[in-house]
Amino acid sequence: MSRGRLRVAIVGAGPAGAFTAAQLRARGDRFDIDVFDRLPTPWGLLRAGVAPDHGSIKTLDETFERATFAKGCRFFGNVEVGKDLPHAELARRYHAVVYAIGAQSDKSLGIPGEDLPGSMPATAFVGWYNGHPDFRDLAPDLSHETAVVIGNGNVAADVTRILTRSVEELARTDIADHALEALRSSRVRRVVVLGRRGPAQAAFTNAELRELGRMEGVNVVVRPDEAQLDPVSTEWLSSEGTFTARRNVEVLQQFAAQPPRPGAPREIELRFLRSPVAVQGDGRAERVELVTNELYRDDAGALRARALEPAGEVVEAGLVLRSVGYQAIPLPDVPFDERRKVLPNERGRVLDAATGDRLPGIYAVGWIKRGPTGILGTNKRDAAETVACLVEDWEAGALPEPAGGDVAEVLGGHADLVTADGWRAIDAHERSTGAAASRPRTKLASREELVGVARGT
Ligand code: NAP
């Protein structure tokens, strides 16, 4: 049944929001689609998360542009929903509000010293090298020879590569200029990556793990005893291990067996069954104290790590990056599941946190819907599910009728608003300054600069 026009607000212009906008738009032009982002730039982690040396993935921005803004979706950048624009204002003006706000914070370890200067979330370091305006002034200390990365996921792989890639290679990417300059004089030569569980439980995807072994001028070290599987993992790998886990174990055992590359100036050491118990130092991070773990099956059958030996091993390090996962934070007036750290939802339909009842017209997509897992493309499938529910609800007449009024009227007084045209001006500026230096783009990394270029001032 056709029901006239549908007005949809998408909050968050990262990959999940962009796929949602693109898929709604692809269903025809019965939809008025507005995309909001708290940054002056769209594409979320595609711009501010994907590592600069993974440039080919970043070309997805052109697909997003063609499928959204070029097809009439509007962009309201530099607008923070919940602060500049309350949820109630959106709910009054749109049939549906889709939250695609991702997971904007990080998990902590709960160990002493983790917040000493020099010890920080990897997510902040990622934001810093990617020109995210909130992290421009991070100034990580790169004056020590060793850095420790805690965690065994793809973010850990990203930050490890950026710390060990040659500056010549980085200079060909879109890494933020301030990061490139700092990395030029970096003294970091060795990155120790700590996995609390074993090689079979590493969260790297195969390509990301193999890539560490292919880096120019870098030795990858895995201690042979740590590459061997314990009996619990051997049994787990043969009964329930995934293809990815099996390949990771093979790759790690190859790393353990290979002789060091002669003359490689930098080193990545992948450690397993090691957990940090404290970051120590005199007013700043100087060393990480470790325990050795063993694996066991908990009551639910999951493989977990527990300390086997008291702390004793110490790694001297001036930079400690904890890369143990992203975490979502609640938005004012929008339900939040404190335990799972997502918007409570059923296939993207947001539910009242207390009663479990559906909240008509409110949807979730991406990490705020399912938690911070999956690669970028996972959001395409995820968006398809949310879009299908939204359209089904619309066709069933289950969406609230908005009171009306264009949101542009409310935001008219928002001096620093960045529209799709403003973003295109930023994009063109960054690409042309980048081209002059044989780089894909040179990023503007402060809100003032971004807004200035967007407004042509
Ligand atoms: P992740 O894949 O969930 O990895 C988190 C790592 O932290 C795991 O090794 C986990 O170990 C460890 N960890 C958690 N709590 C810990 C603790 N208390 N002590 C020690 N270690 C702890 O998270 P992520 O690396 O942040 O990545 C998030 C998502 O983005 C993932 O789906 C990832 O694949 C994706 N991503 C993809 C790419 C790419 O495709 N190139 C790049 C970046 C990110 P346990 O397994 O023992 O919990």
Side-chain angles (χ1 to χ4, degrees):
M1 176 175 51
S2 169
R3 304 190 66 87
R5 297 191 69 75
L6 180 83
R7 306 179 67 180
V8 183
I10 299 172
V11 183
F19 279 125
T20 303
Q23 291 177 20
L24 277 170
R25 173 52 74 234
R27 284 175 178 246
D29 52 11
R30 300 171 297 161
F31 304 95
D32 293 322
I33 303 161
D34 291 346
V35 185
F36 297 81
D37 204 286
R38 73 184 190 89
L39 289 182
T41 51
W43 321 139
L45 287 182
L46 185 63
R47 177 178 168 95
V50 171
D53 59 344
H54 281 180
S56 59
I57 301 171
K58 292 186 184 231
T59 57
L60 185 60
D61 62 355
E62 290 162 20
T63 309
F64 283 158
E65 163 72 32
R66 278 197 303 274
T68 61
F69 303 150
K71 291 200 169 144
C73 299
R74 295 191 299 180
F75 181 52
F76 293 90
N78 216 16
V79 175
E80 188 167 347
V81 169
K83 197 169 135 211
D84 303 319
L85 186 64
H87 167 75
E89 284 287 352
L90 287 180
R92 271 171 42 116
R93 288 177 164 76
Y94 294 89
H95 293 90
V97 182
V98 184
Y99 282 98
I101 54 175
Q104 290 169 29
S105 186
D106 58 281
K107 285 196 217 152
S108 59
L109 290 165
I111 60 170
E114 71 177 304
D115 292 319
L116 278 173
S119 173
M120 62 191 74
T123 52
F125 187 72
V126 169
W128 172 75
Y129 64 59
N130 269 328
H132 188 304
D134 291 357
F135 301 103
R136 179 191 160 112
D137 300 322
L138 188 75
D141 185 348
L142 304 171
S143 65
H144 299 252
E145 190 160 305
T146 302
V148 164
V149 175
I150 301 160
N152 257 186
N154 284 338
V155 171
D158 285 347
V159 298
T160 298
R161 286 198 321 279
I162 298 305
L163 284 167
T164 50
R165 263 217 197 281
S166 70
V167 171
E168 294 69 39
E169 288 174 285
L170 291 175
R172 295 195 287 269
T173 73
D174 72 353
I175 190 169
D177 285 350
H178 56 252
L180 185 60
E181 283 321 302
L183 286 160
R184 254 183 224 292
S185 48
S186 168
R187 295 220 183 103
V188 176
R189 295 285 170 269
R190 177 171 172 250
V191 179
V192 180
V193 184
L194 301 176
R196 65 174 165 182
R197 299 192 289 161
Q201 293 82 32
F204 308 118
T205 42
N206 297 147
E208 275 62 27
L209 179 59
R210 276 197 301 265
E211 190 180 9
L212 295 179
R214 292 187 184 139
M215 288 176 61
E216 200 81 11
V218 178
N219 247 326
V220 178
V221 176
V222 177
R223 301 182 185 199
D225 58 324
E226 292 179 20
Q228 290 313 311
L229 297 189
D230 62 301
V232 184
S233 292
T234 306
E235 190 265 322
W236 175 83
L237 200 61
S238 65
S239 58
E240 1 168 352
T242 57
F243 175 80
T244 302
R246 269 188 258 281
R247 283 294 294 138
N248 274 353
V249 170
E250 281 169 28
V251 174
L252 288 164
Q253 292 182 345
Q254 282 161 16
F255 287 164
Q258 74 199 7
R261 279 186 205 165
R266 293 174 298 279
E267 178 179 294
I268 297 169
E269 185 173 15
L270 302 173
R271 302 289 312 270
F272 294 96
L273 292 169
R274 296 293 182 283
S275 283
V277 285
V279 179
Q280 298 167 341
D282 188 7
R284 53 154 303 107
E286 292 172 357
R287 71 196 82 88
V288 182
E289 200 179 356
L290 310 183
V291 285
T292 301
N293 296 328
E294 65 173 356
L295 294 179
Y296 70 100
R297 273 192 194 269
D298 69 8
D299 294 343
L303 283 191
R304 297 198 178 279
R306 70 179 161 214
L308 179 68
E309 288 168 16
E313 192 177 346
V314 165
V315 181
E316 305 286 334
L319 178 68
V320 180
L321 300 176
R322 56 175 185 276
S323 181
V324 295
Y326 286 80
Q327 185 166 292
I329 40 181
L331 214 63
D333 309 321
V334 180
F336 193 68
D337 179 336
E338 282 293 346
R339 195 180 57 81
R340 293 189 53 228
K341 309 281 185 205
V342 294
L343 299 193
N345 74 91
E346 211 172 58
R347 302 176 62 228
R349 295 179 171 109
V350 173
L351 310 174
D352 184 296
T355 63
D357 294 340
R358 267 192 209 169
L359 293 175
I362 309 182
Y363 297 86
V365 69
W367 280 3
I368 195 65
K369 169 184 173 188
R370 65 175 196 275
T373 60
I375 57 170
L376 220 140
T378 313
N379 294 299
K380 191 171 183 180
R381 220 172 37 235
D382 189 326
E385 182 180 68
T386 296
V387 166
C389 289
L390 193 161
V391 172
E392 192 181 298
D393 292 348
W394 182 42
E395 292 184 338
L399 294 183
E401 197 54 39
D406 188 346
V407 77
E409 292 158 14
V410 194
L411 292 172
H414 185 67
D416 294 339
L417 177 71
V418 176
T419 62
D421 280 341
W423 156 242
R424 289 189 187 113
I426 295 170
D427 192 38
H429 174 91
E430 290 186 341
R431 286 181 195 269
S432 76
T433 52
S438 304
R439 300 174 64 189
R441 64 172 71 232
T442 50
K443 281 180 172 173
L444 299 171
S446 80
R447 282 180 193 267
E448 296 70 32
E449 284 173 321
L450 287 161
V451 171
V453 170
R455 309 177 118 222
T457 55

